[in-house]
Amino acid sequence: ITSYEKNPNIKKLEDIIEISKEKEIKIILFHPPFHKYYLDLISDESKLNFKMIMDKISDKYNVKIYDLHENYTDLGIWTDLVHVAYHPDAMIYTDDIAEIILQEIKQ
């Protein structure tokens, strides 16, 4: 058994995807954005492992994954290293999520 198969969080995510697909509910996933300093703290190996896990889930369940984790790294929209601020300039993130949802509805 690989670490992928042993991870209870991955199993729970897969359960949610399977139940949703059984009920014909479309699923999309997205990686939320993080501040550049936070991303710099994560090892390249951890980033690669996460990408491989998400690619495996995407392939296994035919689920589209939107990767936003580096989209706003240098913008002044952060409350802290992992949370976008409640601020008019932070609407870029909300607007991007809305656009993703609209694109998916059209498909």
Side-chain angles (χ1 to χ4, degrees):
I1 295 178
T2 65
S3 60
Y4 170 90
E5 295 165 325
K6 287 194 271 186
N7 187 312
N9 294 322
I10 293 171
K11 176 63 178 138
K12 288 175 186 175
L13 175 59
E14 288 184 328
D15 289 345
I16 290 168
I17 293 170
E18 288 174 7
I19 291 167
S20 298
K21 287 198 169 266
E22 287 170 9
K23 296 181 184 281
E24 298 182 14
I25 298 170
K26 185 173 184 174
I27 295 289
I28 60 167
L29 301 174
F30 69 91
H31 304 173
F34 296 106
H35 193 282
K36 181 183 181 331
Y37 295 131
Y38 179 83
L39 292 172
D40 288 346
L41 295 173
I42 301 171
S43 71
D44 289 340
E45 181 182 3
S46 292
K47 290 175 188 175
L48 180 60
N49 285 338
F50 182 75
K51 182 180 178 344
M52 288 175 23
I53 289 168
M54 291 293 101
D55 288 346
K56 188 171 187 172
I57 289 172
S58 177
D59 292 343
K60 183 176 180 179
Y61 295 102
N62 193 30
V63 172
K64 188 162 185 179
I65 299 176
Y66 291 88
D67 184 355
L68 304 176
H69 76 273
E70 292 184 357
N71 282 29
Y72 319 103
T73 55
D74 295 323
L75 299 180
I77 62 170
W78 298 94
T79 298
D80 57 33
L81 298 182
V82 296
H83 295 99
V84 174
Y86 182 73
H87 184 275
D89 293 342
M91 288 303 293
I92 187 172
Y93 175 48
T94 302
D95 292 343
D96 287 348
I97 294 297
E99 183 60 34
I100 289 169
I101 293 169
L102 290 172
Q103 286 177 15
E104 292 296 323
I105 289 172
K106 292 176 185 176
Q107 292 181 7

